Amino acid sequence: MTTSDTEDPSGVAPAALRWPIIVLVVLCCMVEGVLQLADFEVIGPVRLRMMAYEYGGFWSGLLQSWTPNYPSQPYLMFLTYGFLHGGVLHLLVNMITLWSLGMAVLDRVGTRGFAILYAGSLLGGAAGFALLASTLAPMVGASGALFGLAGGLLAWAYIDRFTLQEALWPVARASGLLLVLNVVMWWALDGQLAWETHLGGFVTGWLIAMLVDPRPRDLDPAT
């Protein structure tokens, strides 16, 4: 994917390329909006949020001996968990992060590359939680995919540094900051942080990015 395919002369992804991010933000906001209305008893049932988590959250037990609520739940939950959030603050932080990281990914690889990276990281985040988490509580949120976007951007920064003759320090520093952020959030949330999802999404995003766009950007003849 060339630069001319993904950005305007100002260096910002044009509006026509932003639709995947807009769709994701709208869907997540609509879901949380409905659940908020149920929480405040504007619409019913009051247990709608718990029902949403029960049917759409990621439950590790469903990969073992638990009986699913519907036949495809053990498979669909690898995707549906990413459209549920734990409240307005959780949603707000994730959507701001999605817009920021998503625009950078669109600028690099366009809509198709973004879709592959986001979907793959969403699955990778769920896989990381399934493999590493010991809790039986449900996991919700788009952070697995978001850490995948961050992993992809850092992977490209790692590739580009060879062409630009830059040191490894900027990539290592950014990775270290993500690690510190997870530790701080884990402490602030009293251990209620799905770091396993973040790790799974990050690693998956890094690997997918290497497949989607393995070339250093300055080597692209169209740039």
Side-chain angles (χ1 to χ4, degrees), residues 13 53 65 105 117 138:
Y53 291 167
S65 58
V105 172
L117 183 58

Side-chain angles (χ1 to χ4, degrees), residues 7-213:
E7 62 179 31
D8 62 19
S10 66
V12 178
L17 290 178
R18 300 175 192 171
W19 67 266
I21 299 178
I22 295 174
V23 168
L24 288 170
V25 170
V26 169
L27 284 176
C28 290
C29 289
M30 288 179 60
V31 171
E32 181 60 32
V34 171
L35 298 183
Q36 285 290 325
L37 290 175
D39 290 343
F40 287 100
E41 302 184 15
V42 177
I43 61 175
V46 178
R47 291 188 64 257
L48 186 60
R49 180 176 296 275
M50 295 309 300
M51 293 171 61
Y53 291 167
E54 182 179 346
Y55 282 82
F58 189 93
W59 300 84
S60 296
L62 290 176
L63 300 176
Q64 302 170 13
S65 58
W66 291 12
T67 301
N69 293 303
Y70 52 95
S72 58
Q73 186 177 8
Y75 310 101
L76 288 181
M77 69 177 182
F78 277 82
L79 295 175
T80 55
Y81 82 94
F83 297 92
L84 295 169
H85 288 83
V88 174
L89 181 59
H90 187 201
L91 172 72
L92 182 62
V93 171
N94 277 356
M95 294 304 98
I96 292 174
T97 305
L98 170 58
W99 187 267
S100 176
L101 297 180
M103 292 295 286
V105 172
L106 283 174
D107 176 56
R108 177 83 185 208
V109 294
T111 54
R112 181 173 178 271
F114 171 85
I116 294 173
L117 183 58
Y118 192 90
S121 299
L122 195 66
L123 295 174
F129 187 82
L131 291 172
L132 301 175
S134 58
T135 180
L136 296 179
M139 182 270 292
V140 297
S143 55
L146 301 182
F147 269 84
L149 298 182
L153 291 171
L154 286 176
W156 290 321
Y158 176 80
I159 294 174
D160 291 346
R161 74 183 183 87
F162 292 103
T163 302
L164 302 175
Q165 297 183 346
E166 294 181 344
L168 182 60
W169 170 241
V171 177
R173 178 179 58 191
S175 300
L177 287 175
L178 286 177
L179 177 60
V180 171
L181 175 64
N182 272 273
V183 173
V184 171
M185 291 175 61
W186 182 85
W187 175 80
L189 296 174
D190 195 25
Q192 300 300 310
L193 177 74
W195 63 266
E196 304 91 346
T197 307
H198 298 174
L199 178 60
F202 182 87
V203 172
T204 303
W206 183 293
L207 295 175
I208 291 177
M210 292 290 197
L211 298 174
V212 170
D213 186 18

